[in-house]
Amino acid sequence: MNGQAGKRVSVKRVVANVIRNMDVPDASRNFNAFAEWAFEAERKIGSYKTFVKKTETLTITNKQAALPDDFLSIIDVKKGGSNNNDYLEQSSATFPSDVDKQNMFYFTEDTLNVSTNDIGSVTIVYYAVDTDDEGYPTIAANHEDAVSAYLMYKYKARDYWNGKLQRYIYVDLERNWSRLCAQARGNDNMPSPSEMKKAAQIWNTLIPIKSNNGLLNV
């Protein structure tokens, strides 16, 4: 397994490095476009390494609990405080009337709902969009080269389509991205389209538009 498999790097660092290395003018103005392209690259890589696994205990009130802000998709749900394998089974948006309701849950928007008042807390294991200390999304360290290649390919595509870049350079950038994308994907598991859509929504809320002085510190 790649030694970087468990490491994470901030998308801010990846974007800033590419902007600097390519001598992109007006870096603060271009930052958000690069950050959006970074997630496009992650979506095309299509790996669960885009996300991280987290565990959190939720307090149940009136058979409901708010999900964490970074929640993407559930892995499993267990009765909080139990030392055995007392897991809950996921149901549809309502609990069927002809089944045992003691160990069931379902989701509505940002809420987890349980089937009985007897459950005071649950411990959930879930996939999340990871963030750095400044709140920017992170990516797996072994995706960094591929994401950087995609950023360069997307940025220079503007020049190619405007007739300012020779085709062989554009093709080389595209091939390099494709090669590194396949390499980064490897044998990783593939998230579903709905999970990637939810991840995109979370990702975009984490990228600030501008700082107090109107510029991004990149």
Side-chain angles (χ1 to χ4, degrees):
M1 183 177 291
N2 191 307
Q4 292 182 310
K7 296 181 181 179
R8 313 285 303 178
V9 294
S10 172
V11 70
K12 178 182 178 181
R13 190 190 85 175
V14 177
V15 169
N17 286 344
V18 171
I19 286 177
R20 182 184 64 250
N21 293 341
M22 298 189 71
D23 195 23
V24 176
D26 200 354
S28 62
R29 184 176 181 180
N30 283 282
F31 185 90
N32 278 47
F34 275 81
E36 291 176 6
W37 290 337
F39 186 76
E40 284 184 17
E42 286 292 283
R43 187 174 65 243
K44 291 175 184 295
I45 291 169
S47 166
Y48 266 117
K49 286 184 181 178
T50 303
F51 317 121
V52 293
K53 289 183 181 180
K54 291 188 177 182
T55 300
E56 187 165 335
T57 297
L58 308 177
T59 300
I60 303 296
T61 304
N62 295 326
K63 297 195 291 187
Q64 292 184 333
L67 292 168
D69 291 339
D70 60 358
F71 176 87
L72 177 62
S73 64
I74 198 68
I75 299 173
D76 59 47
V77 180
K78 180 173 145 179
K79 286 185 179 179
S82 60
N83 296 319
N84 52 28
N85 292 327
D86 202 359
Y87 291 96
L88 277 66
E89 179 183 353
Q90 186 167 1
S91 172
S92 60
T94 59
F95 297 116
S97 58
D98 59 344
V99 297
D100 177 12
K101 298 182 181 180
Q102 295 304 307
N103 294 288
M104 301 187 72
F105 72 93
Y106 69 86
F107 297 112
T108 54
E109 294 296 330
D110 298 324
T111 302
L112 181 145
N113 305 266
V114 297
S115 55
T116 173
N117 285 316
D118 295 336
I119 301 175
S121 64
V122 294
T123 297
I124 65 172
V125 181
Y126 65 100
Y127 283 112
V129 175
D130 189 51
T131 59
D132 63 14
D133 292 339
E134 296 180 80
Y136 287 88
T138 71
I139 62 174
N142 63 330
H143 288 186
E144 183 172 4
D145 288 345
V147 172
S148 297
Y150 188 74
L151 299 183
M152 290 186 285
Y153 161 63
K154 289 289 287 187
Y155 181 72
K156 297 305 291 184
R158 297 171 171 176
D159 289 340
Y160 172 70
W161 294 116
N162 289 324
K164 299 178 181 179
L165 183 72
Q166 291 178 301
R167 185 176 187 277
Y168 80 89
I169 297 177
Y170 175 76
V171 171
D172 283 347
L173 290 169
E174 184 178 30
R175 286 176 177 170
N176 188 48
W177 145 246
S178 296
R179 177 181 62 84
L180 291 171
C181 174
Q183 180 178 300
R185 182 183 298 121
N187 295 319
D188 296 344
N189 292 327
M190 299 282 286
S192 69
S194 62
E195 288 170 335
M196 292 305 290
K197 181 178 179 180
K198 177 68 181 296
Q201 293 171 345
I202 296 173
W203 181 285
N204 289 334
T205 64
L206 295 172
I207 302 297
I209 296 176
K210 59 179 64 177
S211 61
N212 290 334
N213 65 358
L215 298 174
L216 282 165
N217 181 19
V218 297

